[in-house]
Amino acid sequence: MRIEALAIICAVRGHGEHGAVVRALTPDDGLLAGYVRGGRSRRLRPVLMPGNLVHAEFRARTAEQLAGLTVELAHSRAPLFAEPLPAAAIDWACGLTAAALAEGLAHPRLFTALDGVLGAVEAAPAARGWAASLARYELLLLAELGFGLDLRRCAVTGAESDLAYVSPRSGKAVGRDAGVGHAARLFRLPPFLRDGGAAGWDEVFDALAITGHFLARDILVDRKAEVLAARARLIDRLRRAAE
C-alpha cells in the first residue's frame, strides 16, 4: 500500500522513545494512520501538530499493517497555538475528526470543510468570525456518518417555513406553532444552521447545543467520549469571549 496525499494532521500520539503514531485526514482516502520515525524530535514536533497541512506519504506492505509515514510541511497553523481560543478550536475540530471517523473511508466533503474551518480560525480576527462555521462542521460530520438532522420541514405539520425548534429525540425541525407548550423540551433552531449566513453569539450557542447533544448521543460514546472534554473547554472559552 502506498498513498501520497495532502493531509490535515488530526491526532498525534507518542510511540516508543522517539516515534509517533499520526492520524491524518486525506481528501480521497479519509482518515489514515501512520508511524513517523523520529516524530517526537525537535525537527518534526512543529510539523506534526493538529491542524497543520502536510504532504504525506503512507507506505505499508499489507493493508493490515500500520503504515510508515513521511511528511513534509505544506502549511503551518502552529502559531495559532499561542492563543488559547484558536488553540482550543483546533484541538476540538481535529480531535473530533480523529475520534469520529473510521480509517480508510473517504469523506472529501469533510476534508474540505475541516480545512475551511481551520482557515477561518486562522483568518478571523475574533472568534465570532469562525464559531458558526465550527457548528456547521459538526452538523456536516453528523450527516456524513449517517446521523444527519432534518432541518428542512416541521416534523409535525410538514411545513417548511417558520421553523423554530429541533426535537432532541428525532433530530427533526419543529415549527413555531407546533412547538407551543413544548418549547422547554426542544432546542431553539438558529436560522444560520439551516440556511447559512451570519450568526450572533446566542445563535452560535443554540447551534452548538444541538450538535453537541447529537454528537454525544450518537457518535462520541464509550471510549470516544473522552474527546468531549476538549469541546467543553472550547465552549467555556467561547462564552468568556462572548462576554
Side-chain angles (χ1 to χ4, degrees):
M1 186 271 284
R2 180 173 178 270
I3 295 173
E4 290 186 71
L6 202 61
I8 300 170
I9 302 293
C10 291
V12 181
R13 175 174 55 85
H15 185 82
E17 189 173 352
H18 303 293
V21 175
V22 175
R23 302 182 79 196
L25 185 64
T26 67
D28 299 323
D29 296 282
L31 191 72
L32 297 175
Y35 173 76
V36 180
R37 188 181 300 275
R40 299 168 68 184
S41 68
R42 183 178 300 179
R43 180 180 69 86
L44 285 177
R45 275 200 305 264
V47 177
L48 298 178
M49 295 186 69
N52 279 358
L53 197 63
V54 299
H55 295 289
E57 182 178 355
F58 297 85
R59 287 177 175 266
R61 293 182 179 178
T62 67
E64 293 75 24
Q65 182 184 36
L66 177 65
L69 171 60
T70 56
V71 297
E72 179 182 339
L73 184 65
H75 179 71
S76 175
R77 295 187 171 107
L80 295 174
F81 281 87
E83 298 292 334
L85 192 47
I90 294 173
D91 271 343
W92 164 243
C94 293
L96 167 64
T97 304
L101 300 187
E103 292 180 12
L105 299 180
H107 293 282
R109 290 203 304 165
L110 281 180
F111 178 89
T112 300
L114 179 58
D115 192 47
V117 169
L118 297 173
V121 173
E122 190 173 18
R128 186 172 169 180
W130 51 258
S133 66
L134 184 64
R136 289 186 63 82
Y137 178 71
E138 294 181 347
L139 188 70
L140 175 62
L141 186 140
L142 283 162
E144 286 280 309
L145 297 184
F147 299 100
L149 310 188
D150 183 358
L151 306 181
R152 306 313 303 180
R153 57 185 58 82
C154 175
V156 179
T157 67
E160 297 183 1
S161 60
D162 202 24
L163 302 178
Y165 306 103
V166 175
S167 166
R169 294 183 62 187
S170 68
K172 296 181 178 180
V174 178
R176 193 175 308 278
D177 290 342
V180 171
H182 305 284
R185 297 192 295 273
L186 301 171
F187 291 115
R188 292 189 299 270
L189 173 60
F192 88 91
L193 199 60
R194 188 181 72 147
D195 303 323
W201 278 119
D202 287 345
E203 293 176 313
V204 166
F205 291 123
D206 285 344
L208 290 171
I210 294 169
T211 54
H213 169 78
F214 291 103
L215 285 171
R217 190 191 75 177
D218 298 326
I219 294 177
L220 300 177
V221 295
D222 299 328
R223 291 178 61 186
K224 293 180 180 179
E226 296 174 2
V227 75
L228 286 169
R231 192 177 195 272
R233 288 193 296 270
L234 170 61
I235 291 179
D236 179 63
R237 289 173 181 174
L238 286 173
R239 291 195 181 280
R240 280 184 276 169
E243 295 171 359

Coordinates of all heavy atoms in Angstrom, one line a residue, residues 3-7 25-32 104-109 111:
I3 N 0.2 5.5 -0.5 CA -0.7 6.6 -0.7 C 0.1 7.9 -0.5 O 0.7 8.1 0.5 CB -1.9 6.6 0.2 CG1 -2.7 5.3 -0.1 CG2 -2.7 7.8 0.1 CD1 -3.8 5.1 0.9
E4 N 0.0 8.8 -1.5 CA 0.6 10.1 -1.4 C -0.6 11.1 -1.5 O -1.4 11.0 -2.4 CB 1.6 10.4 -2.5 CG 2.9 9.6 -2.4 CD 3.9 10.1 -3.5 OE1 4.4 11.2 -3.4 OE2 4.1 9.3 -4.4
A5 N -0.7 12.0 -0.5 CA -1.8 12.9 -0.5 C -1.5 14.1 0.4 O -0.6 14.1 1.3 CB -3.0 12.2 0.1
L6 N -2.2 15.2 0.1 CA -2.3 16.3 1.0 C -3.1 15.9 2.2 O -4.1 15.2 2.0 CB -2.9 17.5 0.4 CG -2.6 18.9 0.9 CD1 -1.1 19.2 0.8 CD2 -3.4 19.9 0.1
A7 N -2.7 16.2 3.4 CA -3.4 15.7 4.6 C -3.4 16.7 5.7 O -2.5 17.5 5.8 CB -2.8 14.4 5.1
L25 N -6.2 13.3 8.0 CA -7.4 13.3 7.1 C -6.9 13.6 5.7 O -6.3 14.7 5.5 CB -8.5 14.2 7.6 CG -9.8 14.2 6.8 CD1 -10.4 12.8 6.9 CD2 -10.7 15.3 7.2
T26 N -7.2 12.8 4.8 CA -6.9 13.0 3.4 C -8.2 13.2 2.5 O -9.2 12.7 3.0 CB -6.1 11.8 2.8 OG1 -6.9 10.6 2.7 CG2 -4.9 11.5 3.6
P27 N -8.1 13.8 1.4 CA -9.3 14.1 0.6 C -9.9 12.8 0.0 O -11.2 12.7 0.1 CB -8.8 15.0 -0.5 CG -7.5 15.5 -0.1 CD -6.9 14.5 0.8
D28 N -9.1 11.9 -0.5 CA -9.7 10.7 -1.2 C -9.6 9.4 -0.4 O -10.3 8.5 -0.8 CB -8.9 10.5 -2.5 CG -9.0 11.8 -3.4 OD1 -10.1 12.4 -3.4 OD2 -8.1 12.1 -4.1
D29 N -8.9 9.3 0.6 CA -8.7 8.1 1.4 C -9.2 8.2 2.8 O -9.0 7.2 3.6 CB -7.3 7.6 1.3 CG -6.9 7.2 -0.1 OD1 -7.3 6.2 -0.6 OD2 -6.2 8.1 -0.8
G30 N -9.7 9.3 3.2 CA -10.2 9.5 4.5 C -9.2 9.6 5.6 O -8.0 10.0 5.3
L31 N -9.5 9.2 6.8 CA -8.6 9.2 7.9 C -7.6 8.0 7.8 O -8.0 6.9 7.6 CB -9.4 9.1 9.2 CG -8.6 9.4 10.5 CD1 -8.2 10.9 10.6 CD2 -9.4 9.0 11.7
L32 N -6.3 8.3 7.9 CA -5.3 7.3 7.8 C -4.3 7.4 9.0 O -4.1 8.5 9.4 CB -4.5 7.4 6.5 CG -5.3 7.2 5.2 CD1 -4.4 7.5 4.0 CD2 -5.9 5.8 5.1
G104 N -9.8 4.9 6.6 CA -9.8 4.4 5.2 C -11.1 4.6 4.5 O -11.3 4.1 3.4
L105 N -12.0 5.4 5.0 CA -13.3 5.7 4.3 C -13.2 7.1 3.9 O -13.0 8.0 4.7 CB -14.5 5.4 5.3 CG -14.7 4.0 5.8 CD1 -15.9 3.9 6.7 CD2 -14.8 3.0 4.6
A106 N -13.5 7.3 2.6 CA -13.3 8.7 2.0 C -14.4 9.6 2.5 O -15.6 9.2 2.5 CB -13.3 8.6 0.5
H107 N -14.1 10.8 2.8 CA -15.0 11.8 3.2 C -14.5 13.2 2.6 O -14.1 14.1 3.4 CB -15.1 12.0 4.7 CG -15.8 10.8 5.4 ND1 -17.1 10.6 5.4 CD2 -15.2 9.8 6.1 CE1 -17.4 9.4 6.1 NE2 -16.2 8.9 6.5
P108 N -14.6 13.3 1.3 CA -14.0 14.5 0.7 C -14.6 15.8 1.2 O -14.0 16.8 1.3 CB -14.2 14.3 -0.8 CG -15.2 13.2 -0.9 CD -15.1 12.4 0.3
R109 N -16.0 15.8 1.5 CA -16.6 17.0 1.9 C -16.1 17.4 3.3 O -16.0 18.6 3.6 CB -18.1 16.8 2.0 CG -18.8 16.7 0.6 CD -20.3 17.0 0.7 NE -21.0 16.2 1.7 CZ -22.2 16.5 2.2 NH1 -22.8 17.6 1.8 NH2 -22.8 15.7 3.0
F111 N -13.1 16.7 4.5 CA -11.7 17.3 4.3 C -11.8 18.8 3.9 O -11.1 19.6 4.5 CB -10.9 16.5 3.2 CG -9.6 17.1 3.0 CD1 -8.5 16.7 3.7 CD2 -9.4 18.1 2.1 CE1 -7.2 17.2 3.5 CE2 -8.1 18.6 1.8 CZ -7.0 18.2 2.6

